[in-house]
Amino acid sequence: YRRCLLGQEDPSLAIQPWLRRIGWKRGSTAYLEAQYTYEGGFLDSSLLERVGRLRKAGIPCYLATDQDPRRREYLLESLGLGPLFDGYFVSSLLHAQKCMPEFWTRVLARLARAPGGLDPSAILFMDDLEGNLAMAAAQGISTYRVVGPAGPEGLRSLLDTIVSQASQ
């Protein structure tokens, strides 16, 4: 699957041997579509609303995610996440994952060229995986770990605080 996340392999082809083992008869595309639809039901609209408030307050918001090309398209286009952010950094487009230094080198290079240029110390990266956070922190980026059942609520509170401070 790592090759898929890096944009080097099509997940619908990579998953076929596994689907044969479990006896799935409807094809890999149908399986992936069913999986994406199921996962789409867990989208946290209250977090996305807060992203909108951050952007309205003048704080740029970018999505950083490890996704294969098919799931990337589903998230950004079908679920409509793309327009909710100022931009996005996806492993299958950058050919590097968040746990790799190359991911962050490419992200920071693009952000440096953005209007107003963003310094790494001005960035807050939020994730649930310690390895991703450690790699971002090694680049001088501030991090916030979203953990356990209370993680999303803590993140909502943090975003509310940032919006409040930006409005003052």
Side-chain angles (χ1 to χ4, degrees), residues 19 30 32 40 43 55 65 73-74 96 106 113 125 130-132 151 155 157 161 167:
L19 292 176
L32 292 171
L43 200 60
R55 292 181 72 202
T65 184
E73 183 178 321
Y74 175 76
R106 293 170 187 153
R113 292 189 305 265
F125 171 63
E130 189 59 46
N132 295 342
L155 181 55
S157 177
T161 300
S167 300

Side-chain angles (χ1 to χ4, degrees), residues 64 66 89-91 93-114 118-120 123 125 132 134-141:
D66 288 338
F89 303 102
V90 185
S91 62
L93 293 173
L94 297 176
H95 307 293
Q97 290 178 262
K98 294 183 285 184
C99 62
M100 305 164 96
E102 306 92 296
F103 183 92
W104 297 104
T105 301
R106 293 170 187 153
V107 165
L108 293 174
R110 284 192 32 208
L111 290 176
R113 292 189 305 265
L118 286 175
D119 181 79
I123 299 170
F125 171 63
N132 295 342
M135 192 57 64
Q139 304 294 323
I141 297 170

Side-chain angles (χ1 to χ4, degrees), residues 5 9 11 19 24 38 45-46 57 79 109 113 123 137 139-140 154 158 160 167:
L5 291 178
E9 193 170 337
L19 292 176
W24 180 267
Y38 172 77
S45 58
S46 69
L79 282 182
R113 292 189 305 265
I123 299 170
Q139 304 294 323
L158 173 64
D160 288 343
S167 300

Side-chain angles (χ1 to χ4, degrees), residues 8-76:
Q8 300 168 339
E9 193 170 337
D10 184 335
S12 67
L13 299 175
I15 200 171
Q16 288 177 359
W18 181 78
L19 292 176
R20 281 192 292 276
R21 276 192 297 228
I22 66 167
W24 180 267
K25 304 283 188 217
R26 295 184 24 222
S28 58
T29 302
Y31 178 85
L32 292 171
E33 287 174 2
Q35 182 67 31
Y36 299 161
T37 300
Y38 172 77
E39 292 171 355
F42 294 96
L43 200 60
D44 191 329
S45 58
S46 69
L47 281 176
L48 295 175
E49 176 188 320
R50 285 167 171 85
V51 169
R53 282 192 250 148
L54 286 167
R55 292 181 72 202
K56 192 173 184 178
I59 299 171
C61 296
Y62 293 85
L63 179 65
T65 184
D66 288 338
Q67 302 298 332
D68 66 64
R70 287 179 180 266
R71 191 154 189 270
R72 174 190 76 222
E73 183 178 321
Y74 175 76
L75 292 173
L76 297 176

Side-chain angles (χ1 to χ4, degrees), residues 124-136:
L124 174 61
F125 171 63
M126 303 162 211
D127 203 289
D128 60 335
L129 299 178
E130 189 59 46
N132 295 342
L133 295 164
M135 192 57 64

